[in-house]
Amino acid sequence: MTHRDADYTDDAVARWAELLPDVPLETIQITMRTRRAAAFLTEIMTDVVVQHGLRALGDYEVLSAVRRSPTPLTPSDLADRLLATRSAITGRLDRLESAELVQRRSDTADGRSLTVVLTRRGRRLTDRILRASLGRQLAIVDQVDPDHRAHLETGLRALMLVLDDRPGNRP
């Protein structure tokens, strides 16, 4: 694999600097790289979930959120955690319930509310997808120097702490 000193973002920033020399462009290096990395990683993750029979990455995100949660989640909880609309979650739950991967049950504490639980099949599929996706992620991340990986993880956590604390942000 050939490594270059400049990436797409370096080229884009250099061009913007020529076009608009009075504009400070330092932050675009972070935001553009983050967006591009997210797009590439989303594509990889989508390939994994589709190979395992799901329609979309969002469906796996629902399964994964329910699997990790120590307490039952409502559809509203899922919408908040996944930064999705309630109607998007309803569509995902409809598909997942039809595939017998989740069940919506009446909340024992509040009969007016529903909680989402994984079926045994849903748990097995969620775990298989996680294992497969970790293999794909490792194949990419292993190509990055370990010192850079540590700095990247620390920097991304710092960025997410800022983003997660924005006023009006959902949990």
Side-chain angles (χ1 to χ4, degrees), residues 5-59:
D5 289 333
D7 66 0
Y8 175 91
T9 300
D10 291 322
D11 296 340
V13 170
R15 183 65 181 131
W16 277 119
E18 292 171 9
L19 296 169
L20 302 169
D22 61 319
V23 175
L25 298 169
E26 294 80 19
T27 59
I28 200 172
Q29 294 178 37
I30 295 169
T31 58
M32 185 180 281
R33 283 190 178 100
T34 303
R35 285 192 322 269
R36 289 179 57 78
F40 285 127
L41 295 171
T42 297
E43 182 179 311
I44 289 165
M45 198 58 199
T46 299
D47 288 345
V48 171
V49 301
V50 168
Q51 288 171 3
H52 283 82
L54 293 179
R55 183 174 149 239
L57 179 56
D59 293 349

Side-chain angles (χ1 to χ4, degrees), residues 26 38 59 74 81 95 133 138 142 164:
E26 294 80 19
D59 293 349
T74 66
R81 289 174 188 219
R95 283 191 301 277
S133 71
L138 182 61
D142 261 359
D164 285 344

Side-chain angles (χ1 to χ4, degrees), residues 81-138:
R81 289 174 188 219
L82 300 177
L83 304 177
T85 64
R86 277 134 176 81
S87 62
I89 294 298
T90 298
R92 292 173 192 174
L93 290 173
D94 289 346
R95 283 191 301 277
L96 294 169
E97 199 164 38
S98 291
E100 299 179 355
L101 299 171
V102 300
Q103 293 177 336
R104 287 177 268 203
R105 296 182 179 161
S106 293
D107 188 337
T108 54
D110 178 1
R112 298 169 296 165
S113 184
L114 296 174
T115 59
V116 180
V117 296
L118 292 178
T119 63
R120 184 180 319 192
R121 182 176 176 210
R123 279 191 307 278
R124 286 194 312 257
L125 179 63
T126 303
D127 294 353
R128 272 197 317 273
I129 291 172
L130 176 66
R131 285 184 175 92
S133 71
L134 288 174
R136 297 278 300 271
Q137 292 170 40
L138 182 61

